[in-house]
Amino acid sequence: MIATPTFLILNAEQLTRSEPQAASRNYSALILKRLIFGSKLIEVLVSSIQLIYRLIIKHAWTLTYLRQLSEKMHGIFRLLALSKQLIYDVKWYGGSNRIQYLAEQLQCSMFEVCQLIVKYQFMQNHPFDKLRDTLKILLHYRIEREAIMNDCWAFRQNPETIIDRLERIREAGIFPVKPWMVRCIEPVIARRINKESHRRAILGENGTIIYYLSERFQCDENKVAVILSKLPQIKHVSGPKTKKVVDFLIENEYTIEHVIRVPRILFHGVEKAQKRLNELLEYGHKPKSLIVFCKTEKEYNEYLERIKKKWLKNEKK
C-alpha cells in the first residue's frame, strides 16, 4: 500500500504528541521509508513543511521543542538529495537501491536502514558499489550483522584496505571480529594482533585457556570446562599471565581441583601470591585452599595473625 502525505502527517503528529524526542529522531527515517514505496517527493515535502509550520506555531513557547523541529527540518531537506541517489542506484546498479539492498543483506527492515542513514549521513551519498562490496567483505569474514549495524563507520574504508586488515586479523586467529578492528588506526590493531600472537604462543594453536589448563594439569578438558562455567571472564585472561599463575600453582603442588574450587586465582598476580605463601611458610603453614591468595589485604592480615598465634602457641609447648 502506497503511503500518502496525510498518512505521514498523522504519524508525525502522533509521534510528536507521545514522544517529542523520538519524533525528532525518527521522522526523517519515516519519510525515507515512505519514499521507497512511491510517494511523490514534492507532495511529501510540501505536506511535511506544512506540518512543521503548524507545529512551530503550536509549540513556539518551547525553545527545546524548536530545536527538535529544526533537526526534523534538516532531515527533510536532505530527502531531495537522497531521492535522487535512490533513483541513480536503481538506474545503474541492477534495479535495486541502497536501502532495499542493505535491508535484505542485513536482514532487517527498511525503516531500520533509514534510521542508519539518518545517523550515518555519509551513507546517503557513498558510492553504492562500495557499500555493496564492503558489506560483502564484512559478512564473508563472519562479522555479525548486528555488530555492523551498531558501527557503520567501517563502510568509509577502502574495500582493499578492509580485506588486507581482515586477512591479518584472521591469520592472527582473532575471533569474533568487530567492525572497530577494520576502522581503527594501525597501532591499535597492531597491538591487538601482537597480544593474540603472544597468547597463542603460550596457549597453543587451539588458543583457549581450557585447552591450556588441561594440558598443563594433565586432565580432561571437560573437567576444566567447569571453571569457565563458573567464571566466563577467565577466557579473556592474557596468555602470559595465565602461564605465570599456572607455573606458580604447579611448582607449589596445587592441582586442577584447587583451581576449580577457586577459579579467581587466575586473575590474581603471582608476585603477591608468592609473597603471601612465603610469609605463611615461615610459620609452618601451607594453605590448603587458594582463597587465601584472593583475600583483600585486611582479610589476609587477619588470617596471618591467626596463623602466627597458632604457631606461637605450638612453639611454647
Side-chain angles (χ1 to χ4, degrees), residues 26-216:
N26 292 328
Y27 187 61
S28 296
L30 175 66
I31 295 180
L32 297 188
K33 179 183 177 184
R34 300 307 171 189
L35 283 171
I36 297 169
F37 289 109
S39 296
K40 294 179 181 179
L41 175 63
I42 300 302
E43 190 178 357
V44 172
L45 288 175
V46 170
S47 299
S48 301
I49 292 171
Q50 289 174 347
L51 169 62
I52 296 297
Y53 177 77
R54 294 204 308 272
L55 293 177
I56 288 175
I57 297 300
K58 183 178 179 180
H59 299 277
W61 55 274
T62 307
L63 294 177
T64 301
Y65 199 87
L66 286 175
R67 179 181 58 79
Q68 295 171 1
L69 292 177
S70 68
E71 292 174 359
K72 288 189 211 175
M73 182 70 82
H74 178 66
I76 291 171
F77 284 126
R78 290 207 316 269
L79 296 180
L80 182 60
L82 178 60
S83 64
K84 290 181 179 179
Q85 187 64 58
L86 296 179
I87 294 171
Y88 183 85
D89 290 346
V90 172
K91 181 177 180 180
W92 295 101
Y93 297 105
S96 177
N97 64 59
R98 63 192 60 215
I99 296 178
Q100 292 170 324
Y101 178 81
L102 291 173
E104 179 182 343
Q105 296 300 315
L106 293 173
Q107 299 178 5
C108 64
S109 69
M110 286 190 284
F111 183 72
E112 289 176 294
V113 174
C114 291
Q115 288 178 311
L116 288 180
I117 293 178
V118 170
K119 181 178 179 180
Y120 300 96
Q121 296 182 22
F122 74 91
M123 296 178 70
Q124 175 176 318
N125 299 313
H126 199 65
F128 187 24
D129 55 343
K130 285 191 175 181
L131 282 177
R132 292 194 307 183
D133 291 345
T134 300
L135 183 56
K136 288 178 181 178
I137 293 168
L138 298 178
L139 294 176
H140 174 74
Y141 284 89
R142 300 168 62 189
I143 299 181
E144 295 181 354
R145 288 174 170 82
E146 184 178 354
I148 296 173
M149 293 179 67
N150 289 332
D151 185 357
C152 290
W153 295 113
F155 285 101
R156 301 191 73 170
Q157 307 301 313
N158 185 283
E160 290 75 19
T161 303
I162 294 175
I163 292 175
D164 178 69
R165 177 70 64 87
L166 289 174
E167 276 298 317
R168 291 169 57 201
I169 291 171
R170 181 162 66 178
E171 290 173 3
I174 298 174
F175 190 82
V177 183
K178 298 295 183 180
W180 69 263
M181 298 178 185
V182 171
R183 60 176 175 78
C184 68
I185 59 177
E186 178 58 30
V188 173
I189 195 61
R191 285 196 300 270
R192 181 69 179 84
I193 291 174
N194 187 53
K195 181 179 178 180
E196 186 63 26
S197 298
H198 283 301
R199 177 183 174 85
R200 286 183 170 271
I202 293 171
L203 303 185
E205 283 304 312
N206 185 283
T208 67
I209 194 168
I210 298 299
Y211 174 80
Y212 179 73
L213 292 176
S214 66
E215 288 289 307
R216 292 297 306 275

Side-chain angles (χ1 to χ4, degrees), residues 5-15 17 51:
T6 303
F7 181 79
L8 287 174
I9 292 172
L10 291 175
N11 271 272
E13 289 179 335
Q14 183 179 4
L15 282 171
R17 287 195 301 270
L51 169 62

Side-chain angles (χ1 to χ4, degrees), residues 178-279:
K178 298 295 183 180
W180 69 263
M181 298 178 185
V182 171
R183 60 176 175 78
C184 68
I185 59 177
E186 178 58 30
V188 173
I189 195 61
R191 285 196 300 270
R192 181 69 179 84
I193 291 174
N194 187 53
K195 181 179 178 180
E196 186 63 26
S197 298
H198 283 301
R199 177 183 174 85
R200 286 183 170 271
I202 293 171
L203 303 185
E205 283 304 312
N206 185 283
T208 67
I209 194 168
I210 298 299
Y211 174 80
Y212 179 73
L213 292 176
S214 66
E215 288 289 307
R216 292 297 306 275
F217 286 103
Q218 295 297 299
C219 63
D220 186 79
E221 286 189 36
N222 292 329
K223 190 173 186 178
V224 182
V226 176
I227 298 174
L228 194 62
S229 65
K230 287 185 176 181
L231 208 60
Q233 302 94 316
I234 286 177
K235 63 184 178 181
H236 300 301
V237 179
S238 69
K241 183 172 185 177
T242 301
K243 183 181 183 303
K244 286 183 179 180
V245 175
V246 172
D247 287 345
F248 166 78
L249 295 173
I250 292 177
E251 287 172 7
N252 291 286
E253 300 181 341
Y254 288 107
T255 67
I256 191 62
E257 281 75 17
H258 291 96
V259 180
I260 291 174
R261 285 193 289 270
V262 189
R264 284 187 297 154
I265 187 62
L266 297 172
F267 286 114
H268 288 265
V270 170
E271 292 76 13
K272 181 182 287 187
Q274 186 66 64
K275 178 177 177 294
R276 290 183 177 185
L277 180 60
N278 292 340
E279 287 176 336

